[in-house]
Amino acid sequence: MKLIVFGATGRTGRHVVEKALGHGHAVTAFTHSTPLAVSHANLSAVSGDARDFESVSAAVAGHTAVAFALSGAGNHEPAMANVIHAMAEHDVRRLSAVSAAGTFARNDKSLPLAYRALVATALRSAYDDLERMEQRIMASDLDWAIIRPVGLTDDPATGDYRVSLDGSLLSRSSRISREDVAGLVIKSLETDTYLRRSVVIAQ
């Protein structure tokens, strides 16, 4: 697989890069301003703004898959619009995108009460952005997977986690390590198990 990673220098994206390299894939890191903290024979980097279509299109050309782990509220939907357009332009089919649990289910009682309050206030615009991003992905004809973690930690990966393949929230769930999320992103690109599914991941 020849993979391009958007958000490659973010706290989750850097793990996606490392996991992909560990699986023997050729990886291009799409970066904005933060330099890469890792070097590898199968790793290259391209600088650009994911909200600029020309930058995205030029970067996507020649790849076989895209991982999207961008951070920053308000950036997801416009950047994803460019990614989907670029993938169609260059006939790239496979996409895995990191979103968040609770998308389209903000009032679900499986979410802790305190978190539901945050989603209704401080995180409202972030969830608006994620939902618009997911709508674009689902409306595309790409071979996509959407990964929705239940909160994130910087703990090491355990490989011991639960998933919901239909996007429903998991009962008594707790936060998941970014490294485990990255592992699922790569798995969703390597197999058809998660094809055209929104997958919730949690401890």
Side-chain angles (χ1 to χ4, degrees):
M1 180 166 64
K2 191 171 182 182
L3 176 68
I4 182 167
V5 181
F6 289 86
T9 57
R11 292 166 69 188
T12 301
R14 64 183 178 86
H15 289 298
V16 174
V17 170
E18 291 166 0
K19 291 288 184 183
L21 291 170
H23 284 220
H25 301 300
V27 180
T28 300
F30 188 96
T31 68
H32 188 204
S33 56
T34 306
L36 287 173
V38 62
S39 61
H40 192 282
N42 288 337
L43 176 64
S44 59
V46 60
S47 181
D49 187 337
R51 295 165 299 182
D52 174 65
F53 174 71
E54 297 303 325
S55 295
V56 172
S57 180
V60 167
H63 291 84
T64 59
V66 175
F68 188 92
L70 214 63
S71 58
N75 292 328
H76 293 82
E77 189 270 338
M80 181 55 70
N82 287 335
V83 167
I84 291 171
H85 185 183
M87 291 178 72
E89 187 175 68
H90 297 290
D91 195 27
V92 182
R93 299 288 311 159
R94 205 75 183 222
L95 169 68
S96 183
V98 179
S99 183
T103 306
F104 301 112
R106 303 186 197 195
N107 295 316
D108 193 302
K109 291 185 179 178
S110 298
L111 290 172
L113 180 61
Y115 193 76
R116 277 181 276 152
L118 275 175
V119 170
T121 54
L123 296 179
R124 181 175 179 177
S125 63
Y127 268 78
D128 288 345
D129 182 35
L130 289 173
E131 289 180 0
R132 290 192 297 266
M133 176 190 76
E134 289 200 18
Q135 286 169 337
R136 283 193 178 272
I137 295 170
M138 293 175 185
S140 76
D141 65 351
L142 298 173
D143 297 330
W144 55 264
I146 295 170
I147 311 301
R148 297 173 174 170
V150 178
L152 293 163
T153 75
D154 291 316
D155 297 335
T158 66
D160 181 21
Y161 53 77
R162 297 178 294 149
V163 297
S164 167
L165 293 178
D166 63 0
S168 60
L169 293 167
L170 297 160
S171 61
R172 294 185 295 278
S173 60
S174 57
R175 294 186 300 163
I176 184 78
S177 80
R178 296 175 188 275
E179 192 173 353
D180 275 324
V181 171
L184 185 59
V185 168
I186 299 305
K187 191 182 295 185
S188 73
L189 293 169
E190 293 174 332
T191 74
D192 290 341
T193 303
Y194 311 99
L195 190 62
R196 298 185 72 83
R197 292 181 181 272
S198 299
V199 183
V200 173
I201 176 173
Q203 287 288 354

